[in-house]
Amino acid sequence: MASSSSLLNGERAVVLLFISQVLYSLPISLMFHGVALSLLALASLFLEIRAEASDSLSQLRTRPGASSGILLGAVTLPTVILSKLIQLSRALSLGQVKIEELEYLTLQYWATSASCLSVLIFLCLIIWRSPSLHSDWGLKFSLSWILLDAVVCSVSVATSSETGFYPALKLLWVLSHGFAAVKLIQHCLCTFPSCASIGEALLVTVGIVLYLGDMLASTIAKVYGLLMSSESLTEEYGISRSEISIIIQGLLLGLLLFPVFFKFILQTWKHFMKTDYAKARTYNDIGLSLIFFTSFGLILIVIIPSWMQFVHKFHMHPFIWVFSFVFSEPLKRLSLCIYWVCVVFVSVLRFYNISKSSKIERILLRKYYHLMAVSMFLPALIFQPKFLDLAFGAALAVFLALEIIRIWRIWPLGQLIHQFMNAFTDHRDSDLLIVSHFSLLLGCALPIWMSSGYNDRPLAPFAGILSLGIGDTMASMVGHKYGVLRWSKTGKKTIEGTAAGITSVLAACSVLLPLLASTGYIYTQHWFSLLLAVTVSGLLEAYTAQLDNAFIPLVFYSLLCL
């Protein structure tokens, strides 16, 4: 039997501390949710221990050098949503939100839990095929917790009273998320081998499935509302959206689904051209490029805007609405755009030249981009938060479009983008998929997007900027230059670096809080929660072998919401 030190390493201890704090803050009305999260954590913990001890999941071809990350990947999103539920429960008791909003978020929580459980079952089945582990006690123990958690989730979903949903339909809706998550993680790990750990792939796939399910729910509610002649049905279901959120959601999911559409177009083209795809790529790059940009324009200009106008009352084309929104305050928003363009141009040009000629470590050089993110996003978040929401969506859409062009090597930009992006990669990226810039942008954007609507914690939207732009950057710089005492014998993270990261975030919060005093919220009443959030996220940065840009902001945000 493995020793206790090997069963509970630093990353697992920090994750369990994170979950424990959220469970401690639960109101009585969310106790079933807490039981489900506890069972999910136990199941993923034992599954991770068995998987790493036997190397039975090596066939999935995950990112080299990273731990499996099953525990962290499985509990992060459910814990984030549960923290948001705690926040909305406070708002409901004060009469500041409607019950439908809380109930719809509850349904999303169960859908997220079902997605994570389904992926865990999928991983258990892979391990079960290993003859040496077929009767392993750890695997059986993990399966027992998974089945018990599945029962708790099913009973909770079937007996809850979300407005307008029948129990059987709710259960079917939740189970469909689980099935979609399993199929998507299989596709991601097979299509992009050695690009992500299991935990990272689990976080991304469950997030995409949840986001796609939310988009589908809005569409179904709109269709049902038209059939029932009820224009307010989306609000009754708790899924009303602003124009900005609809534009971001449609644009991002359209780009994520575009490769499927483009692949279908290519297969049709291959059939009529009577040639294979390899020859088409070799001898007809211009034709391929024309097909790509034509279908790309069809998706962006026709199909996605049509969906946006269907689910929301836009009185004009959504992209025209964007221009009118920007020019509604032209001095502030255009000045901000000019400032962003100048910062990006100067920074990218400067760091690109340094990366080609300097001997500075790549991981340290990339931290300057974290500082650049602070200089770009912090002023906008304070003075133009709605415009920053839209800008994040536009930037992420540009990143997705460029990555699609790079992966497919679309003439004439594909190879140029590939060569340029390689100057900013590190060991966590590969030639097949470059993810670091996505994780940095999403790490800053997600806490801001999740804070839309009711938010009684003014520092919560700043979670990504503080943890990545300040904490992670200072930890790396100080640890690299002055670090001596290491957290582990095999790791590179130092105690000095972690201390510098925690201290810098606390110092930044002490500066931010007076600026946010106009909200009328006195944060001194919750100083312990702030200190705990900063400390736990700092320790996670020190111990985790996962892509910390993806996890640290979510952990920090969750603890700030308590």
Side-chain angles (χ1 to χ4, degrees), residues 1-215:
M1 183 177 295
S3 63
S4 58
S5 60
S6 63
L7 294 180
L8 194 64
N9 56 28
E11 180 182 302
R12 294 168 189 162
V14 174
V15 174
L16 293 179
L17 176 62
F18 163 53
I19 298 172
S20 300
Q21 180 60 26
V22 175
L23 294 177
Y24 178 77
S25 304
L26 281 178
I28 298 297
S29 59
L30 298 177
M31 281 302 166
F32 269 110
H33 304 67
V35 171
L37 180 61
S38 302
L39 295 174
L40 178 65
L42 288 173
S44 55
L45 173 62
F46 283 100
L47 183 61
E48 178 178 291
I49 292 171
R50 289 299 94 193
E52 294 185 356
S54 63
D55 198 30
S56 54
L57 296 178
S58 57
Q59 58 180 295
L60 295 178
R61 298 175 65 187
T62 56
R63 178 163 60 84
S67 59
S68 66
I70 295 174
L71 173 62
L72 182 59
V75 302
T76 298
L77 278 182
T79 309
V80 170
I81 298 179
L82 188 56
S83 298
K84 190 67 178 177
L85 279 171
I86 295 173
Q87 189 179 49
L88 288 184
S89 298
R90 293 196 301 266
L92 184 65
S93 64
L94 298 174
Q96 296 182 355
V97 298
K98 296 180 179 180
I99 184 65
E100 290 82 7
E101 186 175 351
L102 182 68
E103 290 177 340
Y104 184 70
L105 188 61
T106 300
L107 190 61
Q108 286 187 308
Y109 173 78
W110 293 122
T112 306
S113 299
S115 300
C116 295
L117 279 175
S118 299
V119 174
L120 293 183
I121 293 174
F122 165 69
L123 296 176
C124 280
L125 293 177
I126 295 178
I127 299 176
W128 192 270
R129 296 173 184 174
S130 176
S132 59
L133 293 177
H134 188 74
S135 58
D136 183 81
W137 68 270
L139 182 60
K140 291 182 178 179
F141 204 56
S142 181
L143 276 172
S144 300
W145 289 121
I146 291 174
L147 294 176
L148 183 59
D149 194 12
V151 171
V152 171
C153 290
S154 300
V155 172
S156 300
V157 171
T159 57
S160 58
S161 58
E162 279 81 6
T163 306
F165 285 99
Y166 294 103
L169 291 178
K170 290 188 296 181
L171 191 58
L172 180 62
W173 178 257
V174 167
L175 292 177
S176 67
H177 281 71
F179 177 77
V182 172
K183 299 301 292 184
L184 184 57
I185 197 171
Q186 285 181 283
H187 176 75
C188 290
L189 292 175
C190 292
T191 306
F192 304 106
S194 305
C195 291
S197 67
I198 296 176
E200 293 162 359
L202 179 56
L203 178 72
V204 172
T205 54
V206 173
I208 291 176
V209 168
L210 186 66
Y211 206 44
L212 183 61
D214 184 65
M215 179 180 180

Side-chain angles (χ1 to χ4, degrees), residues 208 248 251-259 292 296 393-408 433-434 437-438 441-442:
I208 291 176
I248 294 174
L251 190 60
L252 296 184
L253 288 177
L255 288 172
L256 289 172
L257 295 174
F258 170 75
F292 175 88
F296 191 75
L396 190 56
V398 171
F399 282 175
L400 282 170
L402 292 177
E403 187 67 7
I404 292 171
I405 292 173
R406 188 193 68 84
I407 291 174
W408 288 90
L433 190 65
I434 300 176
H437 56 301
F438 286 103
L441 186 66
L442 281 173

Side-chain angles (χ1 to χ4, degrees), residues 30 35 50 155 211 260 350 410 470 498 504 542:
L30 298 177
V35 171
R50 289 299 94 193
V155 172
Y211 206 44
V260 178
R350 174 64 176 165
I410 301 299
I470 297 176
T498 302
S504 63

Side-chain angles (χ1 to χ4, degrees), residues 186-249:
Q186 285 181 283
H187 176 75
C188 290
L189 292 175
C190 292
T191 306
F192 304 106
S194 305
C195 291
S197 67
I198 296 176
E200 293 162 359
L202 179 56
L203 178 72
V204 172
T205 54
V206 173
I208 291 176
V209 168
L210 186 66
Y211 206 44
L212 183 61
D214 184 65
M215 179 180 180
L216 185 59
S218 299
T219 307
I220 293 175
K222 183 66 176 181
V223 172
Y224 189 67
L226 292 176
L227 294 176
M228 301 299 295
S229 300
S230 174
E231 296 183 358
S232 61
L233 189 66
T234 55
E235 295 185 4
E236 293 174 5
Y237 278 83
I239 52 177
S240 58
R241 300 287 182 268
S242 66
E243 289 86 353
I244 292 177
S245 63
I246 288 291
I247 289 172
I248 294 174
Q249 190 172 33

Side-chain angles (χ1 to χ4, degrees), residues 349-382:
L349 184 63
R350 174 64 176 165
F351 296 149
Y352 181 71
N353 292 330
I354 292 177
S355 66
K356 293 192 298 182
S357 58
S358 176
K359 294 182 180 179
I360 298 177
E361 285 192 23
R362 187 65 58 86
I363 185 64
L364 195 61
L365 182 63
R366 284 154 49 88
K367 297 305 175 183
Y368 290 108
Y369 282 96
H370 290 219
L371 294 176
M372 183 187 75
V374 174
S375 65
M376 291 177 61
F377 304 145
L378 191 59
L381 182 54
I382 295 174

Side-chain angles (χ1 to χ4, degrees), residues 437-479:
H437 56 301
F438 286 103
S439 62
L440 175 59
L441 186 66
L442 281 173
C444 294
L446 285 176
I448 298 173
W449 288 342
M450 290 186 294
S451 298
S452 60
Y454 177 80
N455 177 45
D456 60 348
R457 298 292 189 263
L459 285 178
F462 296 86
I465 297 174
L466 290 172
S467 59
L468 297 182
I470 297 176
D472 188 30
T473 302
M474 293 302 296
S476 295
M477 290 183 172
V478 173

